[in-house]
Amino acid sequence: MDSEAGPHPGDMKSKELLWDTLRATVKGDVRTGNLTRTIYATDASIYEVIPAGVVLPRDIADVVATVKACRVAGESVVARGAGTGLTGGAIGPGVPLDLSRYMNRIGTVDVAARTVEVEPGVVLDELNAHLAEHGLQFGVDVATGSRATIGGMIANNSCGAHSIVQGRTVDHVVELTVVLADGEVATFSRFASCEVASSSEVVRNIEGELARIRDTYESEIKDRFPKILRSNAGYGLDRLGPRCSTVSAVDVLCGSEGTLGIVVGAKLDLVEPPRCCALVVLHFDGLLEALGVVPVILRHRPAAIELVDKLVLDAGRVNAVLRTRCDFLQGDPLAILVVELTADTEAELESKIEKLLADREVSDATFASSTVREPHRQADVWNLRKSGLGLLMSKPGDEQPYAFIEDSAVDPRRLRDYIEQLLEILNREGVEAGFYAHASAGCLHIRPVLNLRRGTDVERMRRIAEAVADLALRFGGTITGEHGDGIVRSCWLEKMYGARIVEAFAEVKRLFDPDKVLNPHKIVDPWPMTEHLRYGAEFAAQAVKTHLDFSRHGGLAGLANMCSGVGQCRQKGTGTMCPSYQATGDERHTTRARANALRVALSNRGLLDGLGDPELAEVMDLCLSCKACRTECPTGVDMARLKAEYLARRNQTMGVSKGARLVADLPRLSRLASRFPRMSNLIAQARPVRALVEHRYGFDRRIPLPRFANRTFRSWFRRCRKQESGRAHPRGPVVFFVDTWTNFFVPQVGIAVVKVLERIGHRVLCPDTVCCGRPAISKGLLTEARQAAEQNIAVLAPLTRSGTMVVGAEPSCILTLVDEYPQLVRTQAARRIAGQAVMIETLLRRVLDEDPTALDPLRRDTLLLYHSHCHQKALVGSEDAVAVLRRFCAEGSAEIDSGCCGMAGAFGHEVGHYEVSRAVGEERLFPAVRARGDAAIAAAGFSCRHQIEHHTHTPARHLIEYLADALEG
């Protein structure tokens, strides 16, 4: 168990007794250090509340032990899933229970009954992947499904895009097992009486007491609860049914945000996915025009109608990942409606599409439409919609679109008029906003743009929230459609329901939790919405002098502050971000945790003190600097850049470690060792030497160092140039940037580059450049990296003035010229070189697009599976490499959906990283390599190939090597 030391609020003696008790009784992790308390102080909301400590339970017994110990100590307990909530519902001053780390097992799937048993930490997309083999899925599909946990969905009574067909989470819960405030375990069912693990009369009478409360407040419930689908404010008393009907506690526990009981297990009912599906994307010249046609579209019985406005569309079009997948957009719409139509047959589906597009009311309101039938293109449309929250937050600066009125809902037939009046409220306050989400259910997520570091804007936020609450009431709607009340909306419940219903809520709370142990100040006894803000008028960030360029984000702290907490870095089974979290499942190893830790360390408040705080080392240690967060994080938090600056400051204050020094010196040491390659290899591979290197430099002896080639690439190239005949070069010169790894370790890659480039008519130049500086950057030696950049720019600048391209075979090296050089050396020459530096695959694709016969004749009998480098995916994408692969390799050749390999330069070699490095590769890459069949493996990165060969015993080569082999003559 983690037993971090750190100060605690309140009475020190009682707190220490609590933690001693928990460490003695809990099998999971008990964490009380400043770092842990910092990263669990926030979720995806505008709030921050520092907890006393955190428990990561392994099973129900751990939850029971924690609740009982906290109850005795007078400490509250807050259940937490992925921490992606927008209301502050999963944060509090007590003890958060992170139920996602260990309690994430999927139990029995009953195909005949269409049910599944799950623990609360099961992630929605992982559950659906597990159910796919049975032809089933969970009916509710929230936008955060790649990381949202079932427990969190139950807590908020989540709805998702298809709620007009599938309803809400509560509609799919058959049975709930909860730990109550006194530590009792109870199972509540829709079809049977409550089962408890004790003789507690109070627990046995819960459903009877709920019936009494329902009957006592019957008239108020009938009059005050909205008659719309998306009504999730407060406790679901309206779901308890009419007088004399059977009451199920499930109806109240769903949506109770962990204030009544902690969900530790659930039985869910399942649905079949639609057999045939298509999306019709309708384009509009205005937001209100789009909303006005929603009632018309509903007559066509769609499965979903999702709205995306111009702010989200514009952000998606400049996002490095999404911009290549927005081909369904036409022109410059101010809003689009994504209409999903489903059917049992393709003929029925086509008929539905035709009728929708032929509807005069629909066609008159739109200026364009796109029909998307292919599943992968439909996924692109949904990815844009699901990224709406993060995309809106991707604008640098203090003014951000914030979530505080994003969940109001009305009858969809009144949605246009409601939004028109809401816009009048925003206009009076001088505020713009982004709009997206569930038009079909009358629930739009609205994000007004404010600067919550100004006291005037904090007050403006409160005025807008109150005015929108009044407006929703006038329209017969609700302030809470699906995201919960939390801190941000609980204070408006009395305005919405009146004093009598609020007293009913208090009775429900007293029934389940009389001592207010569970998630206090949510729904009942609420805090004001303007307290506990993450920023607020008193917040200030430190200005730090940096080596890299952070001017676009307002400095180092500005980039760290870009993290909105949406938690996409917690996704598993897809993308590349964040490799260490995918391997460990530990919140500390997410991009979000690192950004939060830096934000607090660079601020004037919190538990961490500056970049020199020793606890930062823990949260930064497992960052692989893969750069995936730069593009996969919707807000673009570039943790690789932040980590480089953090390491630079640490080096400055604590000195450079021997291991870091060795990594940065590898280019110079390799030049010396390559003079005697056989002897160097014998020495480097010897067991005593590997043990010494592990002890002195921290390089794990289990993974061998790469072997030096017998002859360097530059040696081969000099000899080749001397022997060159008067060959014509119709395509002119191209500079090959010779990286350290190609030169000293795999010269065959460089030789293949030269052969292929010359075959297509280029004259290859290899000027006397030095190492790109990537090893130094990875260890925070940014002054040395800048010196290397300046030296290379001086060599390359004259060659690039005429437009000559610079190509590279090693992604991390050539992309250092693209990414870091303009930041380290802020000159026109650096920017020009960055604009003309490309991977070899990109140059080949450009040539082949111009002349498809450029590499003919070429054998096409090699079946390849291709793994792309993380920096390649993040900065330029793998599309060019895949296009070349498919053009010149056997049918069936494809890119592996592989994420990160886990090596990340020196990361996988370092002591303490070996197991994590292997676990990263085992997520997807290694299994795909082992299941390759007859296919050969191609990998862009030198370290990727080294990692694959070490852990799978499968040889991997660069794609260019296969192309060179395939050339005839």
Side-chain angles (χ1 to χ4, degrees):
M1 291 185 294
D2 180 338
S3 57
E4 305 165 59
H8 314 294
D11 178 68
M12 293 293 292
K13 188 173 181 179
S14 64
K15 299 293 184 185
E16 286 302 328
L17 180 60
L18 170 62
W19 300 121
D20 289 343
T21 301
L22 290 175
R23 291 185 184 107
T25 57
V26 170
K27 298 182 291 293
D29 302 342
V30 178
R31 302 177 179 175
T32 59
N34 288 343
L35 173 64
T36 294
R37 295 169 63 207
T38 294
I39 63 179
Y40 280 90
T42 55
D43 49 12
S45 72
I46 59 177
Y47 298 103
E48 180 177 57
V49 183
I50 297 173
V54 179
V55 173
L56 291 76
R58 288 189 178 271
D59 54 25
I60 294 175
D62 277 359
V63 177
V64 170
T66 302
V67 170
K68 287 184 174 180
C70 288
R71 185 166 180 259
V72 170
E75 195 67 82
S76 60
V77 179
V78 181
R80 180 180 173 110
T84 59
L86 299 173
T87 69
I91 58 176
V95 179
L97 279 172
D98 184 344
L99 297 161
S100 68
R101 176 78 193 279
Y102 300 119
M103 296 184 67
N104 50 25
R105 290 172 286 269
I106 299 172
T108 302
V109 179
D110 188 331
V111 178
R114 292 189 180 180
T115 62
V116 63
E117 296 174 0
V118 297
E119 291 185 325
V122 170
V123 172
L124 175 62
D125 283 359
E126 293 181 21
L127 173 62
N128 283 334
H130 182 82
L131 296 170
E133 63 182 273
H134 304 294
L136 297 170
Q137 66 183 28
F138 187 59
V140 179
D141 59 333
V142 295
T144 55
S146 63
R147 62 269 192 200
T149 63
I150 296 299
M153 293 175 65
I154 292 169
N156 287 341
N157 197 18
S158 298
C159 301
H162 296 86
S163 60
I164 56 173
V165 175
Q166 299 297 347
R168 298 170 288 181
T169 297
V170 67
D171 301 314
H172 299 273
V173 175
V174 177
E175 192 173 276
L176 278 183
T177 299
V178 298
V179 174
L180 299 173
D182 59 358
E184 299 290 349
V185 179
T187 298
F188 296 97
S189 172
R190 289 190 180 280
F191 311 110
S193 298
C194 171
E195 300 173 6
V196 296
S198 77
S199 58
S200 169
E201 184 177 350
V202 172
V203 175
R204 290 202 309 274
N205 290 337
I206 278 178
E207 291 180 334
E209 284 297 299
L210 285 175
R212 181 193 62 76
I213 294 171
R214 175 200 62 188
D215 296 345
T216 300
Y217 296 93
E218 181 181 22
S219 61
E220 286 84 1
I221 293 172
K222 181 179 179 180
D223 293 341
R224 298 302 296 254
F225 275 77
K227 309 302 186 290
I228 59 174
L229 172 63
R230 293 296 189 94
S231 176
N232 278 319
Y235 297 130
L237 300 180
D238 59 327
R239 297 194 289 267
L240 293 178
R243 181 183 289 268
C244 299
S245 63
T246 301
V247 166
S248 171
V250 169
D251 290 313
V252 170
L253 287 166
C254 288
S256 65
E257 303 181 55
T259 62
L260 305 180
I262 298 171
V263 175
V264 291
K267 179 184 284 188
L268 312 172
D269 71 18
L270 307 172
V271 299
E272 292 184 358
R275 296 179 182 177
C276 304
C277 178
L279 300 180
V280 178
V281 183
L282 303 174
H283 298 57
F284 298 87
D285 284 324
L287 173 68
L288 296 179
E289 288 83 350
L291 297 176
V293 82
V294 167
V296 179
I297 299 172
L298 285 171
R299 296 202 295 261
H300 292 267
R301 300 179 65 185
I305 309 173
E306 296 289 291
L307 178 132
V308 184
D309 89 332
K310 183 173 173 56
L311 280 180
V312 178
L313 295 176
D314 288 349
R317 280 173 154 164
V318 300
N319 179 276
V321 172
L322 295 173
R323 67 188 177 199
T324 60
R325 303 173 184 176
C326 289
D327 59 345
F328 58 87
L329 294 176
Q330 300 181 41
D332 187 23
L334 294 183
I336 62 170
L337 289 177
V338 179
V339 183
E340 182 176 284
L341 299 171
T342 60
D344 289 333
T345 66
E346 290 293 342
E348 182 186 355
L349 179 63
E350 289 302 316
S351 175
K352 281 190 169 186
I353 295 171
E354 291 175 7
K355 288 178 180 178
L356 174 65
L357 294 177
D359 191 313
R360 180 61 61 87
E361 291 182 81
V362 174
S363 60
D364 286 351
T366 62
F367 73 82
S369 65
S370 304
T371 302
V372 184
R373 294 176 174 84
E374 302 89 341
H376 73 277
R377 294 189 64 231
Q378 291 184 40
D380 291 340
V381 180
W382 283 117
N383 283 338
L384 176 65
R385 155 60 191 94
K386 290 180 178 182
S387 298
L389 168 61
L391 289 172
L392 283 176
M393 299 291 289
S394 63
K395 182 173 70 76
D398 292 343
E399 291 192 345
Q400 294 289 331
Y402 285 110
F404 61 95
I405 58 168
E406 92 296 340
D407 209 24
S408 55
V410 298
D411 187 314
R413 293 170 297 183
R414 307 186 69 188
L415 184 57
R416 183 208 173 278
D417 295 339
Y418 170 75
I419 295 299
E420 183 176 38
Q421 293 189 34
L422 192 149
L423 285 171
E424 291 176 3
I425 294 172
L426 297 178
N427 289 335
R428 285 199 302 270
E429 295 286 353
V431 172
E432 67 171 342
F435 295 76
Y436 64 94
H438 319 297
S440 56
C443 180
L444 280 195
H445 298 330
I446 306 157
R447 306 292 294 263
V449 178
L450 296 170
N451 178 3
L452 293 186
R453 301 187 197 185
R454 289 198 300 247
T456 53
D457 272 18
V458 171
E459 177 57 26
R460 182 179 293 170
M461 174 181 71
R462 193 203 63 76
R463 289 198 305 269
I464 292 172
E466 184 170 19
V468 169
D470 289 335
L471 181 65
L473 284 175
R474 291 202 302 274
F475 273 78
T478 180
I479 56 174
T480 303
E482 64 173 326
H483 291 161
D485 297 314
I487 301 172
V488 75
R489 280 186 286 276
S490 292
C491 59
W492 304 115
L493 289 178
E494 185 165 355
K495 174 185 284 290
M496 178 174 175
Y497 288 124
R500 286 277 291 161
I501 292 295
V502 167
E503 175 53 34
F505 290 162
E507 284 196 41
V508 173
K509 177 68 172 176
R510 287 193 295 270
L511 172 63
F512 282 88
D513 181 20
D515 297 322
K516 301 179 182 178
V517 173
L518 303 178
N519 204 9
H521 305 296
K522 320 292 168 56
I523 301 179
V524 174
D525 297 327
W527 284 320
M529 72 170 295
T530 53
E531 289 187 7
H532 304 289
L533 293 174
R534 186 187 299 197
Y535 295 110
E538 74 284 359
F539 181 90
Q542 299 176 21
V544 178
K545 185 177 181 181
T546 61
H547 299 79
L548 297 168
D549 186 2
F550 292 85
S551 57
R552 178 174 176 268
H553 300 92
L556 186 70
L559 180 55
N561 291 341
M562 288 292 293
C563 177
S564 61
V566 295
Q568 195 152 335
C569 46
R570 287 177 57 101
Q571 65 187 6
K572 301 188 75 174
T574 184
T576 302
M577 178 183 67
C578 174
S580 51
Y581 175 77
Q582 292 197 24
T584 66
D586 192 327
E587 173 71 21
R588 290 177 299 183
H589 306 311
T590 61
T591 303
R592 174 172 70 178
R594 298 179 186 113
N596 267 326
L598 285 173
R599 172 182 59 82
V600 171
L602 292 169
S603 74
N604 62 336
R605 66 186 189 196
L607 301 174
L608 303 177
D609 184 18
L611 293 179
D613 193 298
E615 295 212 44
L616 283 178
E618 180 183 353
V619 79
M620 290 295 180
D621 180 51
L622 293 190
C623 173
L624 283 75
S625 296
C626 66
K627 299 191 179 185
C629 49
R630 174 169 172 152
T631 47
E632 291 185 28
C633 169
T635 57
V637 176
D638 188 349
M639 189 50 60
R641 195 188 317 185
L642 290 166
K643 182 181 179 182
E645 288 290 350
Y646 158 74
L647 291 174
R649 179 57 62 93
R650 192 177 73 169
N651 291 337
Q652 181 181 341
T653 57
M654 301 178 60
V656 181
S657 69
K658 292 183 177 68
R661 184 73 271 161
L662 180 62
V663 170
D665 286 345
L666 273 175
R668 179 180 59 83
L669 296 173
S670 297
R671 187 164 54 252
L672 295 173
S674 66
R675 296 177 183 177
F676 310 99
R678 290 182 177 85
M679 181 181 298
S680 298
N681 286 332
L682 285 173
I683 294 172
Q685 304 302 326
R687 287 187 178 182
V689 173
R690 287 166 68 173
L692 176 64
V693 170
E694 178 178 278
H695 175 73
R696 183 171 177 81
Y697 297 101
F699 283 80
D700 199 302
R701 72 183 75 185
R702 287 175 289 181
I703 185 163
L705 297 172
R707 293 177 176 273
F708 292 95
N710 290 333
R711 181 176 61 174
T712 68
F713 167 78
R714 285 193 181 276
S715 172
W716 173 88
F717 187 78
R718 287 191 295 268
R719 182 179 177 185
C720 176
R721 287 287 80 95
K722 290 179 181 178
Q723 298 175 349
E724 186 182 55
S725 61
R727 179 184 298 177
H729 302 101
R731 294 189 184 277
V734 62
V735 173
F736 176 43
F737 184 82
V738 183
D739 61 271
T740 296
W741 322 113
T742 297
N743 188 40
F744 296 117
F745 299 98
V746 285
Q748 63 271 22
V749 173
I751 293 169
V753 169
V754 173
K755 288 183 177 180
V756 172
L757 287 177
E758 290 188 339
R759 180 61 177 267
I760 61 177
H762 278 295
R763 178 170 179 260
V764 180
L765 306 177
C766 293
D768 291 330
T769 52
V770 297
C771 174
C772 66
R774 168 58 51 195
I777 292 171
S778 71
K779 294 303 175 185
L781 297 166
L782 300 182
T783 298
E784 295 179 22
R786 183 176 65 249
Q787 291 169 352
E790 289 171 342
Q791 190 171 343
N792 284 329
I793 289 169
V795 173
L796 296 173
L799 298 171
T800 57
R801 287 195 187 103
S802 59
T804 300
M805 302 297 293
V806 180
V807 302
E810 180 58 38
S812 63
C813 297
I814 190 66
L815 295 176
T816 297
L817 277 63
V818 174
D819 192 17
E820 280 88 1
Y821 274 24
Q823 298 181 54
L824 289 166
V825 185
R826 301 167 200 181
T827 64
Q828 183 179 355
R831 291 189 290 271
R832 182 176 67 249
I833 291 168
Q836 293 170 214
V838 296
M839 291 177 57
I840 179 63
E841 295 89 342
T842 296
L843 181 64
L844 287 179
R845 184 181 186 183
R846 291 178 185 178
V847 170
L848 294 168
D849 284 345
E850 296 173 3
D851 179 10
T853 66
L855 275 175
D856 287 346
L858 190 73
R859 295 200 309 274
R860 294 172 171 80
D861 55 358
T862 303
L863 179 64
L864 282 184
L865 295 180
Y866 178 77
H867 168 70
S868 54
H869 190 280
C870 289
H871 290 188
Q872 174 187 6
K873 293 172 186 171
L875 297 177
V876 296
S878 57
E879 290 83 2
D880 292 338
V882 172
V884 173
L885 176 83
R886 289 176 175 165
R887 190 172 298 187
F888 292 111
C889 295
E891 185 177 351
S893 297
E895 182 179 13
I896 303 170
D897 180 14
S898 52
C900 178
C901 75
M903 179 57 79
F907 178 89
H909 284 275
E910 294 169 350
V911 170
H913 293 170
Y914 183 85
E915 298 299 341
V916 172
S917 173
R918 178 168 60 186
V920 169
E922 290 290 358
E923 278 291 306
R924 282 177 287 159
L925 174 59
F926 297 167
V929 170
R930 295 188 188 106
R932 68 191 181 281
D934 295 331
I937 301 298
F942 172 74
S943 61
C944 303
R945 299 192 294 273
H946 192 55
Q947 176 85 329
I948 290 169
E949 291 173 16
H950 175 68
H951 287 291
T952 70
H953 309 292
T954 301
R957 303 172 73 200
H958 197 291
L959 176 60
I960 198 70
E961 294 182 79
Y962 291 105
L963 295 184
D965 289 349
L967 285 171
E968 295 181 3

